[in-house]
Amino acid sequence: MHFRNLTQHTLWRRMAAAGVVAAALAATAATAGECPAGSRVADGKGQAMGPTQPKDVTDVVRATTDLAKEPAMIEGRQFRLRQLEMKPGGIVPWHSHDNRPAMIYIVSGEVVEYASNCAVPIVHKAGDVAPEKNGTSHWWKNTGNTTAVLISVDLFPSGSKMDDHMM
């Protein structure tokens, strides 16, 4: 009986410790890639509008899905996956996400985001995920010495006159 209670006690301690570690990792993941707490500001009060043309960035659309033909039945939207490669000094120009939510996963390298709703530039490192939501206007620059690789997924308006490679 004593051995069983000791084993259960050890198991519960290990589970509790694993829960604390998981919570700490989740908290870190939730803030990595986003504007630091205390630096969020009203849209338009953060970083200034930047370059309007891409520089040293390649954008390859890897796949699209017409969401009108899927169970979600969302007319006029594509689920789009792209790979962007930014050379050192490369720029993803100023653009808005008011009509196009997205997520960016930084595969390798380091890039800096200048967002209209953040008082400070946001540094994104490999492994970070940057959410791009309504109220986000921004531009990105690779300030590092190596090419940065990013994966972007978004809900792209289909049937519009928008460029398929719109940043």
Side-chain angles (χ1 to χ4, degrees), residues 10 13 16 18 26 43 51 53 67 82 94 116 141 155 160 167:
T10 302
R13 284 182 52 195
D43 190 32
Q53 296 298 313
L67 292 177
R82 299 178 300 149
W94 182 265
S116 63
K141 184 172 185 177
L155 295 180
S160 67
M167 303 289 172

PDB file of all heavy atoms in Angstrom, residues 10 13 16 18 26 43 51 53 67 82 94 116 141 155 160 167:
ATOM      1  N   THR A  10       4.531  10.247  -6.811  1.00  0.00           N
ATOM      2  CA  THR A  10       5.591  10.588  -7.764  1.00  0.00           C
ATOM      3  C   THR A  10       4.994  10.904  -9.131  1.00  0.00           C
ATOM      4  O   THR A  10       5.393  11.872  -9.785  1.00  0.00           O
ATOM      5  CB  THR A  10       6.598   9.427  -7.872  1.00  0.00           C
ATOM      6  OG1 THR A  10       7.129   9.170  -6.578  1.00  0.00           O
ATOM      7  CG2 THR A  10       7.727   9.748  -8.828  1.00  0.00           C
ATOM      8  N   ARG A  13       3.376  14.340  -9.031  1.00  0.00           N
ATOM      9  CA  ARG A  13       4.392  15.390  -9.023  1.00  0.00           C
ATOM     10  C   ARG A  13       4.973  15.596 -10.415  1.00  0.00           C
ATOM     11  O   ARG A  13       5.153  16.727 -10.856  1.00  0.00           O
ATOM     12  CB  ARG A  13       5.510  15.049  -8.033  1.00  0.00           C
ATOM     13  CG  ARG A  13       5.101  15.276  -6.589  1.00  0.00           C
ATOM     14  CD  ARG A  13       6.183  14.986  -5.607  1.00  0.00           C
ATOM     15  NE  ARG A  13       7.426  15.682  -5.949  1.00  0.00           N
ATOM     16  CZ  ARG A  13       8.593  15.391  -5.423  1.00  0.00           C
ATOM     17  NH1 ARG A  13       8.695  14.438  -4.534  1.00  0.00           N
ATOM     18  NH2 ARG A  13       9.663  16.054  -5.761  1.00  0.00           N
ATOM     19  N   ALA A  16       2.371  17.292 -12.573  1.00  0.00           N
ATOM     20  CA  ALA A  16       2.258  18.705 -12.218  1.00  0.00           C
ATOM     21  C   ALA A  16       3.447  19.488 -12.781  1.00  0.00           C
ATOM     22  O   ALA A  16       3.287  20.578 -13.323  1.00  0.00           O
ATOM     23  CB  ALA A  16       2.176  18.876 -10.707  1.00  0.00           C
ATOM     24  N   ALA A  18       5.249  18.691 -15.390  1.00  0.00           N
ATOM     25  CA  ALA A  18       5.078  18.752 -16.843  1.00  0.00           C
ATOM     26  C   ALA A  18       4.055  19.824 -17.210  1.00  0.00           C
ATOM     27  O   ALA A  18       4.221  20.552 -18.191  1.00  0.00           O
ATOM     28  CB  ALA A  18       4.642  17.399 -17.381  1.00  0.00           C
ATOM     29  N   ALA A  26       3.841  27.497 -23.465  1.00  0.00           N
ATOM     30  CA  ALA A  26       2.685  28.083 -24.142  1.00  0.00           C
ATOM     31  C   ALA A  26       2.678  29.596 -23.980  1.00  0.00           C
ATOM     32  O   ALA A  26       2.390  30.330 -24.923  1.00  0.00           O
ATOM     33  CB  ALA A  26       1.389  27.478 -23.607  1.00  0.00           C
ATOM     34  N   ASP A  43      -4.074  51.622 -33.810  1.00  0.00           N
ATOM     35  CA  ASP A  43      -3.609  51.544 -35.193  1.00  0.00           C
ATOM     36  C   ASP A  43      -3.292  52.946 -35.708  1.00  0.00           C
ATOM     37  O   ASP A  43      -4.052  53.884 -35.510  1.00  0.00           O
ATOM     38  CB  ASP A  43      -4.670  50.883 -36.073  1.00  0.00           C
ATOM     39  CG  ASP A  43      -4.141  50.562 -37.458  1.00  0.00           C
ATOM     40  OD1 ASP A  43      -2.941  50.261 -37.577  1.00  0.00           O
ATOM     41  OD2 ASP A  43      -4.936  50.604 -38.413  1.00  0.00           O
ATOM     42  N   PRO A  51       8.474  51.362 -46.827  1.00  0.00           N
ATOM     43  CA  PRO A  51       8.600  51.204 -48.278  1.00  0.00           C
ATOM     44  C   PRO A  51       7.339  50.588 -48.890  1.00  0.00           C
ATOM     45  O   PRO A  51       6.668  49.773 -48.265  1.00  0.00           O
ATOM     46  CB  PRO A  51       9.785  50.255 -48.443  1.00  0.00           C
ATOM     47  CG  PRO A  51      10.536  50.340 -47.162  1.00  0.00           C
ATOM     48  CD  PRO A  51       9.536  50.661 -46.103  1.00  0.00           C
ATOM     49  N   GLN A  53       7.454  49.172 -52.100  1.00  0.00           N
ATOM     50  CA  GLN A  53       7.866  48.208 -53.117  1.00  0.00           C
ATOM     51  C   GLN A  53       8.730  47.124 -52.485  1.00  0.00           C
ATOM     52  O   GLN A  53       9.549  47.416 -51.619  1.00  0.00           O
ATOM     53  CB  GLN A  53       8.656  48.901 -54.231  1.00  0.00           C
ATOM     54  CG  GLN A  53       7.852  49.921 -55.020  1.00  0.00           C
ATOM     55  CD  GLN A  53       6.674  49.292 -55.735  1.00  0.00           C
ATOM     56  OE1 GLN A  53       6.800  48.253 -56.384  1.00  0.00           O
ATOM     57  NE2 GLN A  53       5.506  49.910 -55.594  1.00  0.00           N
ATOM     58  N   LEU A  67     -12.075  28.079 -50.909  1.00  0.00           N
ATOM     59  CA  LEU A  67     -12.885  27.749 -49.729  1.00  0.00           C
ATOM     60  C   LEU A  67     -14.371  27.669 -50.032  1.00  0.00           C
ATOM     61  O   LEU A  67     -15.129  27.106 -49.234  1.00  0.00           O
ATOM     62  CB  LEU A  67     -12.605  28.744 -48.608  1.00  0.00           C
ATOM     63  CG  LEU A  67     -11.198  28.624 -48.020  1.00  0.00           C
ATOM     64  CD1 LEU A  67     -10.963  29.701 -46.961  1.00  0.00           C
ATOM     65  CD2 LEU A  67     -10.967  27.244 -47.433  1.00  0.00           C
ATOM     66  N   ARG A  82       2.211  30.314 -48.951  1.00  0.00           N
ATOM     67  CA  ARG A  82       3.340  30.862 -49.721  1.00  0.00           C
ATOM     68  C   ARG A  82       4.641  30.676 -48.971  1.00  0.00           C
ATOM     69  O   ARG A  82       4.656  30.596 -47.751  1.00  0.00           O
ATOM     70  CB  ARG A  82       3.147  32.367 -49.968  1.00  0.00           C
ATOM     71  CG  ARG A  82       1.928  32.684 -50.759  1.00  0.00           C
ATOM     72  CD  ARG A  82       1.753  34.172 -50.945  1.00  0.00           C
ATOM     73  NE  ARG A  82       1.638  34.857 -49.672  1.00  0.00           N
ATOM     74  CZ  ARG A  82       2.049  36.105 -49.446  1.00  0.00           C
ATOM     75  NH1 ARG A  82       2.614  36.812 -50.385  1.00  0.00           N
ATOM     76  NH2 ARG A  82       1.879  36.655 -48.275  1.00  0.00           N
ATOM     77  N   TRP A  94       5.100  47.792 -47.191  1.00  0.00           N
ATOM     78  CA  TRP A  94       3.949  48.199 -46.389  1.00  0.00           C
ATOM     79  C   TRP A  94       2.673  47.617 -46.988  1.00  0.00           C
ATOM     80  O   TRP A  94       2.425  47.732 -48.190  1.00  0.00           O
ATOM     81  CB  TRP A  94       3.873  49.723 -46.370  1.00  0.00           C
ATOM     82  CG  TRP A  94       2.770  50.264 -45.537  1.00  0.00           C
ATOM     83  CD1 TRP A  94       1.528  50.636 -45.965  1.00  0.00           C
ATOM     84  CD2 TRP A  94       2.786  50.490 -44.123  1.00  0.00           C
ATOM     85  NE1 TRP A  94       0.778  51.081 -44.911  1.00  0.00           N
ATOM     86  CE2 TRP A  94       1.525  51.006 -43.767  1.00  0.00           C
ATOM     87  CE3 TRP A  94       3.748  50.308 -43.144  1.00  0.00           C
ATOM     88  CZ2 TRP A  94       1.204  51.350 -42.460  1.00  0.00           C
ATOM     89  CZ3 TRP A  94       3.416  50.639 -41.844  1.00  0.00           C
ATOM     90  CH2 TRP A  94       2.171  51.154 -41.509  1.00  0.00           C
ATOM     91  N   SER A 116       1.966  49.257 -37.588  1.00  0.00           N
ATOM     92  CA  SER A 116       1.255  50.505 -37.283  1.00  0.00           C
ATOM     93  C   SER A 116       0.605  50.495 -35.907  1.00  0.00           C
ATOM     94  O   SER A 116       0.217  51.539 -35.401  1.00  0.00           O
ATOM     95  CB  SER A 116       0.172  50.751 -38.336  1.00  0.00           C
ATOM     96  OG  SER A 116      -0.802  49.713 -38.289  1.00  0.00           O
ATOM     97  N   LYS A 141      11.617  43.843 -42.707  1.00  0.00           N
ATOM     98  CA  LYS A 141      12.962  43.957 -43.279  1.00  0.00           C
ATOM     99  C   LYS A 141      13.867  42.886 -42.678  1.00  0.00           C
ATOM    100  O   LYS A 141      13.829  42.627 -41.470  1.00  0.00           O
ATOM    101  CB  LYS A 141      13.559  45.340 -42.992  1.00  0.00           C
ATOM    102  CG  LYS A 141      14.920  45.535 -43.653  1.00  0.00           C
ATOM    103  CD  LYS A 141      15.410  46.956 -43.529  1.00  0.00           C
ATOM    104  CE  LYS A 141      16.709  47.112 -44.309  1.00  0.00           C
ATOM    105  NZ  LYS A 141      17.182  48.492 -44.286  1.00  0.00           N
ATOM    106  N   LEU A 155      -6.044  33.995 -45.757  1.00  0.00           N
ATOM    107  CA  LEU A 155      -7.346  33.854 -46.399  1.00  0.00           C
ATOM    108  C   LEU A 155      -7.422  34.958 -47.446  1.00  0.00           C
ATOM    109  O   LEU A 155      -7.836  36.085 -47.167  1.00  0.00           O
ATOM    110  CB  LEU A 155      -8.474  33.967 -45.375  1.00  0.00           C
ATOM    111  CG  LEU A 155      -8.505  32.858 -44.339  1.00  0.00           C
ATOM    112  CD1 LEU A 155      -9.652  33.061 -43.358  1.00  0.00           C
ATOM    113  CD2 LEU A 155      -8.608  31.487 -44.994  1.00  0.00           C
ATOM    114  N   SER A 160     -10.654  38.803 -57.167  1.00  0.00           N
ATOM    115  CA  SER A 160     -10.430  40.247 -57.144  1.00  0.00           C
ATOM    116  C   SER A 160      -9.281  40.584 -58.090  1.00  0.00           C
ATOM    117  O   SER A 160      -8.667  39.714 -58.666  1.00  0.00           O
ATOM    118  CB  SER A 160     -10.096  40.713 -55.723  1.00  0.00           C
ATOM    119  OG  SER A 160      -8.849  40.181 -55.337  1.00  0.00           O
ATOM    120  N   MET A 167       1.717  40.946 -50.873  1.00  0.00           N
ATOM    121  CA  MET A 167       2.333  40.695 -49.579  1.00  0.00           C
ATOM    122  C   MET A 167       1.293  40.854 -48.519  1.00  0.00           C
ATOM    123  O   MET A 167       1.295  40.340 -47.513  1.00  0.00           O
ATOM    124  CB  MET A 167       3.499  41.643 -49.336  1.00  0.00           C
ATOM    125  CG  MET A 167       4.558  41.585 -50.395  1.00  0.00           C
ATOM    126  SD  MET A 167       5.481  40.070 -50.303  1.00  0.00           S
ATOM    127  CE  MET A 167       6.464  40.157 -51.747  1.00  0.00           C
TER     128      MET A 167
END
